Amino acid sequence: MTQELSEDILYDTIIVGGGPAGLTAGLYCARAKLNTLLFERGTLGGQIAITDLVENYPGFPEGISGKELIGRFKEQAERFGLRVVRKEVSRLERVGKEIFLHLRTGELLRSKTVILTVGSNPRKLGVPGEEEFINRGVSYCATCDGALFDGVPIAVVGGGDSAAQESLFLTRFASRVYLVHRREQLRAQKHLQEKVFSNQKITFVPNKVVEEIRGGDFVEGVLLRDTRDNSLSQLPVEGVFIFIGLEPNTVFLKGSLELDDKGYIITDERMRTSLEGVFAAGDCRRGATGQVAVAVGEGCIAAIEAERHIEERF
Ligand code: NAP
């Protein structure tokens, strides 16, 4: 695959990022017989690939694992000829009518259109001990690391859908899951909250922030501060799972096109960014909802708009 990449080819569409939005855009572009490449620097699927169970994507009444869902997306897109390339795009610019993409490995590629579906990454707490204990008790992925915490108490930090859903998953392994949230109430969907509060293995710890993650070779506990009276307390746990939201993977786009103050790509309703010929879809776009169904819809719109752009401009 790699040897086929060439500066001499003017591709129709290059998609950057292989999550639900990117693979859907890829499916539509490939079916439209556009000469399309999809670049993915890490694991296909992004956040959804590490989600244990997706229950709200239509068509799967029993739910489906994120990994399996992504596998199906990929299979379907590749059946129509989408080419997936494991490389990282480091910069893009518009030169005349074309978009130039610079790869981390030094190659330059040219395309008529680009669809950015770079998604987002877990936000960090930024407290002492967090970096130090990554892979030694601190984790951002329950599906990846949950089984390592069999029979021991753990803390989950956050109050959104991810914290609630992953707390439920982690009860399969941990002896107790302390769900630590900085507010009185969770913001997770009601049906997830109901499941959390009826689970005997989950203890909700409201109005607390993590001040520090402590331990020796591995995590041994967290220092909590009460948000109402600032009192400190210790919670003895052997694992800390952090689910406090996401940050868009858009640092490499700074200066190339318009981002909002949080780094999300600004588009119009046709998924057009401020750089002509460049479209964006999914969780990297301003207004992201973190829903696979939305990412899929936006990926579809971006592909249709890219095709239209090619017809009108080339
Ligand atoms: P989120 O909805 O942004 O929630 C982040 C949570 O972390 C909030 O409760 C927030 O507290 C808390 N938080 C943020 N910064 C913090 C800090 N520094 N210290 C302590 N707590 C902090 O993030 P998410 O749960 O990862 O979800 C991301 C998106 O994916 C959402 O749109 C969500 O709906 C979607 N998602 C959907 C599903 C599903 O449909 N089943 C599953 C997972 C995720 P505050 O409440 O105080 O702001």
Side-chain angles (χ1 to χ4, degrees):
M1 185 65 64
T2 307
Q3 59 272 26
E4 289 174 29
L5 299 180
S6 167
E7 205 177 308
D8 299 334
I9 301 171
L10 178 60
Y11 292 96
D12 289 318
T13 303
I14 293 183
I15 299 164
V16 189
L23 287 167
T24 304
L27 167 67
Y28 274 75
C29 290
R31 281 197 84 225
K33 299 262 182 255
L34 300 181
N35 188 4
T36 308
L37 294 177
L38 183 151
F39 283 95
E40 170 57 58
R41 65 174 180 183
T43 314
L44 271 183
Q47 287 302 299
I48 207 69
I50 57 170
T51 301
D52 174 49
L53 184 66
V54 180
E55 281 186 310
N56 51 9
Y57 188 68
F60 299 94
E62 310 302 326
I64 182 168
S65 84
K67 206 170 160 193
E68 193 186 340
L69 184 60
I70 275 303
R72 291 182 182 217
F73 280 19
K74 178 173 180 274
E75 194 185 326
Q76 191 174 359
E78 287 186 333
R79 186 159 76 83
F80 291 102
L82 177 69
R83 287 179 287 166
V84 175
V85 182
R86 305 292 177 139
K87 287 200 175 222
E88 184 172 358
V89 174
S90 59
R91 192 162 65 85
L92 54 86
E93 60 187 327
R94 193 176 159 81
V95 180
K97 283 200 299 184
E98 300 174 8
I99 311 297
F100 282 18
L101 292 97
H102 301 263
L103 303 190
R104 185 74 65 205
T105 39
E107 299 102 314
L108 170 72
L109 294 176
R110 298 159 48 227
S111 189
K112 294 175 188 170
T113 59
V114 168
I115 301 177
L116 297 166
T117 49
V118 289
S120 50
N121 263 336
R123 181 178 293 141
K124 303 264 171 81
L125 272 175
V127 298
E130 183 178 20
E131 292 288 339
E132 186 187 338
F133 287 108
I134 287 177
N135 294 330
R136 294 193 292 131
V138 169
S139 173
Y140 304 87
C141 175
T143 312
C144 318
D145 300 328
L148 302 171
F149 298 88
D150 202 25
V152 299
I154 59 164
V156 167
V157 186
D161 289 339
S162 300
Q165 190 163 21
E166 303 308 323
S167 291
L168 290 163
F169 173 70
L170 287 163
T171 59
R172 294 185 197 183
F173 312 103
S175 57
R176 177 135 306 275
V177 175
Y178 294 98
L179 177 52
V180 177
H181 183 35
R182 64 186 178 184
R183 290 183 200 274
E184 185 83 36
Q185 278 162 0
L186 297 174
R187 72 156 70 191
Q189 297 166 39
K190 284 285 171 275
H191 86 99
L192 284 173
Q193 292 199 31
E194 281 163 18
K195 282 189 183 175
V196 163
F197 291 124
S198 62
N199 191 307
Q200 299 298 313
K201 272 182 138 185
I202 300 178
T203 303
F204 183 45
V205 185
N207 303 310
K208 296 273 196 284
V209 288
V210 174
E211 286 284 297
E212 190 179 341
I213 299 170
R214 294 174 166 177
D217 287 342
F218 294 91
V219 166
E220 290 169 8
V222 289
L223 179 66
L224 301 178
R225 181 173 57 79
D226 192 295
T227 52
R228 295 159 301 184
D229 61 12
N230 284 325
S231 61
L232 296 173
S233 56
Q234 300 266 9
L235 187 63
V237 288
E238 295 185 27
V240 184
F241 284 80
I242 299 163
F243 302 109
I244 58 165
L246 302 167
E247 281 172 345
N249 293 320
T250 54
V251 175
F252 75 106
L253 297 169
K254 230 174 175 176
S256 301
L257 46 77
E258 214 182 330
L259 305 174
D260 74 5
D261 56 354
K262 291 190 173 131
Y264 289 94
I265 302 168
I266 297 176
T267 74
D268 63 10
E269 73 279 5
R270 292 166 60 187
M271 308 299 139
R272 296 180 298 187
T273 71
S274 61
L275 193 62
E276 201 186 326
V278 179
F279 303 82
D283 279 0
C284 61
R285 200 178 77 85
R286 185 169 67 175
T289 57
Q291 303 299 306
V292 183
V294 174
V296 161
E298 291 183 0
C300 168
I301 295 171
I304 290 169
E305 291 295 335
E307 195 184 354
R308 183 185 291 179
H309 179 85
I310 293 167
E311 276 167 15
E312 287 173 0
R313 302 295 160 90
F314 289 88

